[in-house]
Amino acid sequence: MLVNRATERDWQFADQQGIDKSLFRVNDKGGRTAIIRMKKGAHFPQHVYQGEAEMMILNGQVLIGGVELHKGDYLFAQSGEEHDIVALTDSEIFLSTQQAMTLIT
């Protein structure tokens, strides 16, 4: 059993300004389960998933691939789908992926 208590989370800076992540686990295919925190105006660039991905907006408002999502909204992305993420407000996103994702340059 893996337990990750909110009061004991390890937050790490992402490569993009205004974005932090707390990684819960990495599976054997490179997929990740994490919470992503984004400051208002932060932008995570266009990327593609190698496997399916699920996201739940825990707090705030974001644009994911041009779709506005609010607290409590859920998004499912199939393998091969591409999108970026823009924080419209300070936001937190729960993310779970089957496999790694690749930034599109």
Side-chain angles (χ1 to χ4, degrees):
M1 181 167 44
L2 171 68
V3 175
N4 184 300
R5 297 189 188 280
T7 58
E8 300 170 0
R9 286 223 171 95
D10 179 30
W11 291 98
Q12 302 167 351
F13 295 110
D15 292 336
Q16 296 74 28
Q17 187 173 358
I19 301 176
D20 299 326
K21 59 186 174 184
S22 180
L23 184 64
F24 298 147
R25 70 180 196 95
V26 177
N27 69 26
D28 58 354
K29 295 181 181 179
R32 297 171 185 266
T33 303
I35 291 181
I36 309 299
R37 288 192 307 202
M38 300 179 73
K39 294 284 187 190
K40 179 180 179 179
H43 178 252
F44 192 83
Q46 193 81 5
H47 54 282
V48 61
Y49 294 103
Q50 307 307 315
E52 296 173 346
E54 296 181 272
M55 290 176 242
M56 171 76 71
I57 310 308
L58 301 176
N59 286 300
Q61 297 173 314
V62 295
L63 278 177
I64 300 180
V67 176
E68 188 170 328
L69 299 169
H70 303 136
K71 180 180 178 178
D73 290 346
Y74 168 85
L75 180 135
F76 172 79
Q78 294 186 36
S79 180
E81 287 188 25
E82 301 176 11
H83 63 250
D84 65 342
I85 304 172
V86 177
L88 301 176
T89 65
D90 288 352
S91 301
E92 289 186 342
I93 303 168
F94 176 83
L95 169 68
S96 184
T97 64
Q98 286 182 327
Q99 295 179 307
M101 64 93 183
T102 304
L103 290 178
I104 299 172
T105 56

